[in-house]
Amino acid sequence: MTDAAGAVADAGAEAYPRIVAALIRVTGDWTLAEDCAQEALAAALERWPRQGVPDNPGGWLMTAARNRAVDVLRRASVERRKLRDLALLTDPAPAPPEGDVVDDRLRLIFTCCHPALALEARVALTLRTVAGVPTADIARAFLVTESTMTRRLTRAKARIAAAGVPYRVPTGPALVERLPGVLGVLYLLFTRGYDADGEPAFAAEAIRLARLLHTLLPDQPEAAGLLALFLLHHSRRAARRDPSGDLRTLEEQDRTRWDRAAIAEGVALLDRAGDGPYALQARIAAVHATAPTAAETDWPAIAGCYDALVAHQPTPVVRLNRAVAHGFAYGPAAGLALLAEARAGGALDGYPPAVAAEAELTARRGDPVRAAALFRAAADAVRSDPERRALLRRAAELAS
């Protein structure tokens, strides 16, 4: 990548959501906003290698996109007010953003994550409009064709228009009500990138958007908690796989390869994160990330966090994770008892992590034959090849 191309990529990552958000606010036309932002990036790729990178790359891109929008709207003979508003659009100086630019980016995030849209549509629209991820890449992650994803995005935008979704940031009680939905979209986006078969770039985008949200909403503790959670999990990315691509457990990972800067940032964020669900998950991740070795992990602290988390989210999966933590903290019998409670009513029937958890606790209780059989059963049920190989490897270790 040339220096100019790298400058376009860097400036585009920062400026794209600002440009799209500002143009949507003024024109109300999502397609026009995205097209003009893309054309500005294309123009930069063509001109900057010859003319040099401008002093304010983001401002150059905003101006190019604004001028393109003016041309399109002028040819379409739209009302003069929109042209006047477009003429006033400028990119802020490199100082911390404020005013309408901050509002624009928040407006865009909250609009893409509006509950009027299905959850998958919110994730896809956020990737395309806020993060600027190409439609083809989104389609690949959702296992559909590009044309199908294009139609889904078009329907999502039409749904926003038909439902009369306001292009604004909620305030007061409405912000408290809507923020968990926005954080949930970012959480799902991160997990799509962090899962064994996920797209790693999505995890990086989720971190970038969570950082932006925390910067723009510094008084919201769960925004800090979500960013801390992402950073602490992502800090282990370089050590999660062996050279052949198979997953490594926490016990197997080379902790010298963990990203200590990300861990430090995540731990520091916990001071402002409160005790909400994301903050509690981040505190659990912090215990793992700061343990010098797997054997020195403070499992009672993790179990305590899960005790608090289950009060917020008494879901079967949280109860499952709590059972595992108690099994490591207070012995496998305690963990298996809580696991039986979590399974009551069949909520975890057919769920591979529940079978794998029973297998691990059974192995720790001293029954390797049954544990190996359970690990094989879990491997038969998972969809991910890396996870299947990891479970079969554990079964083989116990059988030998």
Side-chain angles (χ1 to χ4, degrees):
M1 180 181 289
T2 66
D3 290 344
V8 173
D10 292 342
E14 170 65 22
Y16 184 90
R18 298 182 184 219
I19 296 169
V20 172
L23 292 180
I24 289 175
R25 172 173 55 83
V26 175
T27 69
D29 189 328
W30 288 61
T31 301
L32 174 65
E34 292 175 10
D35 288 349
C36 291
Q38 290 292 342
E39 290 184 30
L41 292 172
L45 282 172
E46 192 271 329
R47 296 181 190 174
W48 291 6
R50 294 186 288 103
Q51 301 175 356
V53 177
D55 293 336
N56 183 356
W60 191 100
L61 292 170
M62 176 68 85
T63 299
R66 177 202 63 196
N67 290 344
R68 177 59 181 159
V70 168
D71 291 341
V72 172
L73 293 175
R74 182 177 289 121
R75 286 201 299 272
S77 300
V78 298
E79 61 267 29
R80 292 181 179 176
R81 181 185 59 80
K82 287 185 177 179
L83 288 172
R84 184 178 65 252
D85 289 345
L86 280 167
L88 295 174
L89 272 181
T90 57
D91 190 67
E98 49 188 38
D100 279 346
V101 176
V102 170
D103 290 343
D104 280 339
R105 288 184 292 173
L106 278 177
R107 286 183 187 117
L108 187 57
I109 292 172
F110 274 89
T111 302
C112 288
C113 297
H114 196 278
L117 301 176
L119 183 57
E120 273 205 350
R122 293 180 228 168
V123 174
L125 196 59
T126 300
L127 281 169
R128 179 72 196 97
T129 309
V130 181
V133 176
T135 302
D137 292 348
I138 302 172
R140 187 163 52 252
F142 281 82
L143 303 178
V144 298
T145 65
E146 184 175 356
S147 59
T148 296
M149 181 53 65
T150 298
R151 289 193 295 272
R152 288 185 185 180
L153 291 168
T154 300
R155 286 196 298 270
K157 296 170 191 174
R159 173 66 176 159
I160 287 173
V165 173
Y167 189 59
R168 65 169 180 256
V169 180
T171 58
L175 175 61
V176 175
E177 180 182 348
R178 288 277 308 283
L179 184 60
V182 174
L183 299 178
V185 168
L186 298 187
Y187 183 83
L188 182 57
L189 175 57
F190 180 82
T191 57
R192 279 190 175 272
Y194 194 74
D195 285 348
D197 289 328
E199 172 56 57
F202 287 6
E205 279 299 335
I207 291 172
R208 188 177 70 83
L209 294 175
R211 193 185 300 281
L212 172 64
L213 200 63
H214 172 57
T215 299
L216 302 182
L217 295 173
D219 297 328
Q220 296 296 323
E222 275 287 76
L226 186 70
L227 177 57
L229 176 63
F230 289 173
L231 289 168
L232 290 163
H233 276 305
H234 206 55
S235 69
R236 303 195 299 265
R237 64 192 180 280
R240 291 184 70 219
R241 295 177 185 270
D242 65 19
S244 64
D246 285 344
L247 291 173
R248 287 187 169 121
T249 65
L250 275 171
E251 292 82 358
E252 297 169 332
Q253 290 177 19
D254 178 0
R255 297 181 179 227
T256 64
R257 300 187 66 199
W258 289 3
D259 185 340
R260 294 296 162 185
I263 291 171
E265 183 182 0
V267 170
L269 282 165
L270 293 177
D271 291 338
R272 304 192 293 277
D275 291 302
Y278 292 119
L280 287 168
Q281 292 177 69
R283 294 183 194 283
I284 292 167
V287 174
H288 285 298
T290 56
T293 66
E296 296 173 90
T297 301
D298 187 351
W299 281 105
I302 292 175
C305 287
Y306 273 117
D307 290 342
L309 183 59
V310 81
H312 284 281
Q313 297 177 333
T315 66
V317 172
V318 173
R319 291 183 181 277
L320 164 63
N321 292 334
R322 175 175 177 247
V324 173
H326 275 258
F328 277 72
Y330 307 116
L336 287 167
L338 288 175
L339 179 58
E341 292 178 13
R343 282 175 151 171
L348 294 170
D349 287 355
Y351 186 56
V355 181
E358 182 184 1
E360 188 59 50
L361 293 172
T362 299
R364 290 175 177 270
R365 193 178 57 181
D367 188 348
V369 175
R370 173 163 171 73
L374 287 167
F375 274 120
R376 286 192 291 270
D380 288 341
V382 297
R383 296 180 181 180
S384 162
D385 287 338
E387 289 179 357
R388 182 177 300 108
R389 291 193 295 270
L391 291 166
L392 291 175
R393 186 175 69 248
R394 185 74 175 103
E397 291 171 356
L398 290 168
S400 64

